[in-house]
Amino acid sequence: VSEPVVVISGGGTGIGRATARLLALSGSQVLILGRRPETLDRAVQEIEAETRPGAITSMAADVSNPDAVTAVAEHVAATYGTIDAIVNNAGGAGGRPGTSLADIAQSWRDAYEQNVLTAVLLTTALAPYLRRPGGRIVLVSSMSSRSGGAGGPYGSAKAALNGWVLALTAQYAREGITANVVAPGYIPGTELSPTGMPQEILDRIVSRIAAGRVGSADEVAEVIRFLVSPEASWVTSQVIELQGGLLPPNM
Ligand SMILES: NC(=O)c1ccc[n+]([C@@H]2O[C@H](COP(=O)([O-])OP(=O)(O)OC[C@H]3O[C@@H](n4cnc5c(N)ncnc54)[C@H](OP(=O)(O)O)[C@@H]3O)[C@@H](O)[C@H]2O)c1
């Protein structure tokens, strides 16, 4: 049996890197994508040193760019032919919205380009190569899509993924392909959420989490590992919140 092939956007840092590492350690062949070649190279070297030669490779690509995604699809077709999973993890918080309508328009466009278009283009381009049956699509959303935190454009763009997964399911479920969303709460230690948040804000976040702590990129990666596994064949169209339990408002 050949190794499962998993493509992860934004696999050079943070949650994507943790997922790439876990899947490579679990026996998958992982292709990570990102815009910065040196960041990808470093992740490949470090993860390969922990696993085996060829367990992980990278390709530099801006997955919000249709031409770059076409090149990724050509690479995937030539290198693997068939792939097992697409993990759409690339995303970003975008800039702070200004007050002029032009600035506001730009911040909403940026948020949708970074968080929605990235997933739509990569999934659309790579779906023809997904194993049938058995293919897996994962979208990385955020608890901001449900709580409204982190500002309008980012949370709304992530919410678009929660809606799009229903259309993906309708499109692919009969071919034995699942599509699911993970919606993490605050995960420190990534480029998007570096450690070192002011203690007062961190305390406020943790005070609302039933588990009494924040989550980790490895804990998100474990859920993605399950969702892309053959065992997750009856899980589709779900938005899985990874947030340690929310306390009721009166507690
Ligand atoms: N950390 C949290 O608290 C948290 C919570 C909920 C959801 N999330 C989501 O989790 C995902 C991963 O974020 P993270 O926290 O791990 O932050 P991160 O370290 O900033 O990871 C984002 C990754 O995506 C890549 N990327 C961004 N835009 C891209 C593009 N257009 N094309 C290709 N690659 C792109 C970045 O690399 P390059 O810059 O080199 O392209 C980077 O490696 C994001 O979708 C984020 O919204 C994070």
Side-chain angles (χ1 to χ4, degrees):
V1 185
S2 58
E3 295 171 340
V5 177
V6 181
V7 179
I8 305 177
S9 67
T13 66
I15 292 168
R17 186 192 181 287
T19 305
R21 177 179 172 274
L22 189 65
L23 288 171
L25 284 168
S26 307
S28 291
Q29 231 180 300
V30 180
L31 171 65
I32 57 172
L33 309 171
R35 289 166 299 188
R36 290 164 297 169
E38 60 290 353
T39 303
L40 296 170
D41 287 349
R42 200 176 330 120
V44 166
Q45 274 173 25
E46 290 169 1
I47 293 170
E48 199 175 56
E50 279 191 80
T51 55
R52 58 199 186 283
I56 179 163
T57 55
S58 70
M59 179 173 177
D62 178 344
V63 296
S64 68
N65 177 314
D67 294 336
V69 175
T70 300
V72 171
E74 285 167 2
H75 173 72
V76 161
T79 311
Y80 312 107
T82 300
I83 60 171
D84 295 85
I86 311 163
V87 178
N88 292 284
N89 163 80
R96 262 192 184 282
T99 48
S100 74
L101 280 184
D103 286 349
I104 289 167
Q106 194 57 48
S107 68
W108 280 79
R109 282 198 194 95
D110 287 348
Y112 272 73
E113 191 165 302
Q114 289 171 19
N115 296 288
V116 183
L117 209 55
T118 46
V120 170
L121 293 180
L122 191 65
T123 302
T124 305
L126 298 191
Y129 306 105
L130 277 174
R131 191 174 300 288
R132 287 160 163 80
R136 304 278 182 262
I137 300 165
V138 174
L139 311 176
V140 179
S141 173
S142 166
M143 278 304 291
S144 300
S145 67
R146 309 216 140 180
S147 68
Y154 177 73
S156 303
K158 290 301 196 185
L161 298 176
N162 305 357
W164 185 48
V165 78
L166 304 174
L168 281 174
T169 301
Q171 190 173 355
Y172 293 118
R174 281 178 185 270
E175 297 177 58
I177 294 171
T178 69
N180 291 286
V181 175
V182 292
Y186 174 60
I187 305 290
T190 73
E191 288 189 353
L192 183 86
S193 300
T195 27
M197 173 181 277
Q199 193 60 41
E200 193 188 309
I201 300 175
L202 188 60
D203 288 348
R204 205 177 327 134
I205 292 173
V206 172
S207 73
R208 297 194 189 117
I209 302 174
R213 65 171 179 85
V214 295
S216 72
D218 286 337
E219 288 176 305
V220 178
E222 286 288 1
V223 177
I224 296 175
R225 169 163 69 170
F226 171 67
L227 289 174
V228 302
S229 73
E231 289 74 23
S233 50
W234 199 233
V235 183
T236 196
S237 84
Q238 301 305 300
V239 178
I240 301 172
E241 296 186 0
L242 306 176
Q243 28 83 327
L246 299 183
L247 284 174
N250 58 346
M251 289 187 73

